[in-house]
Amino acid sequence: MMLTKRLAACAAQVTPGGVICDVGTDHAYLPAELLRQNRCTRAVATDIHAGPLEAAQRTLTEAGVLSRAELHLCDGLEQIQPGDITDVVIAGMGSETILHILEECPWRRQVHFILQPMTKIPVLRQWLVQQCFSWTEEIVQEGEKFYVVMSVSAAESPVSLTPLELEIGCVNWQSETVRRYAAWKQQRFQKLAQQLHRAGRAEAETWTALSQEIETRLQMEHNGKGEALC
Ligand SMILES: C[S@@+](CC[C@H](N)C(=O)[O-])C[C@H]1O[C@@H](n2cnc3c(N)ncnc32)[C@H](O)[C@@H]1O
């Protein structure tokens, strides 16, 4: 079984030899592969719908790892006790669902989270800042699509983000994928600024400024003058 680049990037962040919990597991491709490769000792997988959990059971059975897995039909982590769980993966969902799952988890400061949000990522970043978490981010490209993978842990002191970091993340500009992602974001911000400008809305300036900041960063990287943003 081959994981997609997106899921492989999530798998790469898992603590070797740990116990993972995959929330919204769907076909359980991630836990099945981690168990098959003995990269985790045990896996807990949850899904809010019965159909995906049946598919998960089939995948885990075919991979010959079902005896080391536990399946739960529940919303987020509501039926899960932290026990020896080292890493919780919440991938392929919108930020609002991820936030709901995190907010309802009383033991969220005890484990490492691997988050792979699909939409509204600045909202998730803002919440993580407010809740005193720190994290690193990686950008993965599959064809035309970009995915953000976040490795998140409780922090002792709050982190702060600039408006640009809030929008595109705390990323390594030296990575070619990051620069492609930033260029794509820049185009989107520019278009948004134009639309808002035409509608006579003052927020247009914010998006123009962000778009220009990205352009400057990309130019600096191109000229070899870039430095880590955070
Ligand atoms: C798009 S799939 C993502 C599957 C896999 N995690 C991945 O990244 O490829 C989303 C899955 O999350 C499940 N889901 C949605 N909301 C959930 C929640 N609150 N708690 C648990 N599972 C949820 C859905 O039923 C679905 O199977």
Side-chain angles (χ1 to χ4, degrees):
M1 191 192 322
M2 269 278 283
L3 291 179
T4 58
K5 262 173 101 172
R6 176 182 66 86
L7 284 180
C10 295
Q13 299 292 337
V14 165
T15 310
V19 174
I20 68 146
C21 176
D22 186 31
V23 180
T25 197
D26 199 357
H27 281 70
Y29 292 136
L30 180 76
E33 189 57 10
L34 286 168
L35 286 169
R36 202 183 60 78
Q37 292 183 11
N38 286 315
R39 284 164 63 191
C40 65
T41 52
R42 221 159 48 75
V44 178
T46 83
D47 207 287
I48 201 165
H49 294 119
L53 270 194
E54 283 160 21
Q57 178 142 7
R58 278 197 301 276
T59 306
L60 293 160
T61 306
E62 281 162 20
V65 295
L66 186 65
S67 62
R68 287 187 285 145
E70 209 181 279
L71 296 170
H72 291 263
L73 178 62
C74 65
D75 180 359
L77 291 155
E78 76 175 355
Q79 280 180 17
I80 311 302
Q81 295 300 316
D84 50 2
I85 291 171
T86 51
D87 310 82
V88 173
V89 184
I90 315 178
M93 278 173 258
S95 287
E96 278 146 347
T97 306
I98 295 178
L99 279 183
H100 157 74
I101 293 167
L102 290 173
E103 269 171 347
E104 295 300 311
C105 176
W107 41 272
R108 61 180 179 253
R109 300 194 73 76
Q110 295 172 32
V111 292
H112 171 228
F113 282 92
I114 298 153
L115 306 179
Q116 193 278 295
M118 301 296 284
T119 55
K120 300 197 180 169
I121 309 180
V123 177
L124 177 59
R125 291 192 186 107
Q126 190 69 67
W127 186 88
L128 291 171
V129 167
Q130 281 160 0
Q131 296 284 319
C132 202
F133 283 91
S134 66
W135 69 95
T136 57
E137 294 189 35
E138 193 190 333
I139 308 295
V140 179
Q141 186 171 10
E142 276 180 22
E144 301 271 283
K145 286 194 175 147
F146 292 99
Y147 298 101
V148 173
V149 176
M150 308 168 86
S151 171
V152 180
S153 300
E156 281 179 10
S157 47
V159 293
S160 63
L161 294 181
T162 66
L164 183 62
E165 288 166 347
L166 195 64
E167 281 302 323
I168 76 162
C170 221
V171 288
N172 173 12
W173 288 77
Q174 277 157 10
S175 144
E176 220 178 291
T177 311
V178 165
R179 292 199 299 272
R180 277 199 297 273
Y181 175 66
W184 174 72
K185 280 283 190 190
Q186 193 250 331
Q187 301 260 306
R188 289 183 50 148
F189 293 171
Q190 208 173 27
K191 268 192 200 139
L192 182 59
Q194 283 161 358
Q195 281 165 1
L196 289 167
H197 182 71
R198 277 198 294 273
R201 305 252 301 267
E203 309 96 279
E205 279 174 32
T206 307
W207 298 101
T208 302
L210 286 174
S211 158
Q212 282 166 353
E213 201 178 335
I214 295 178
E215 222 173 289
T216 308
R217 290 288 318 203
L218 289 173
Q219 199 55 53
M220 279 164 69
E221 285 302 327
H222 185 73
N223 297 338
K225 290 185 190 147
E227 50 189 70
L229 195 61
C230 40

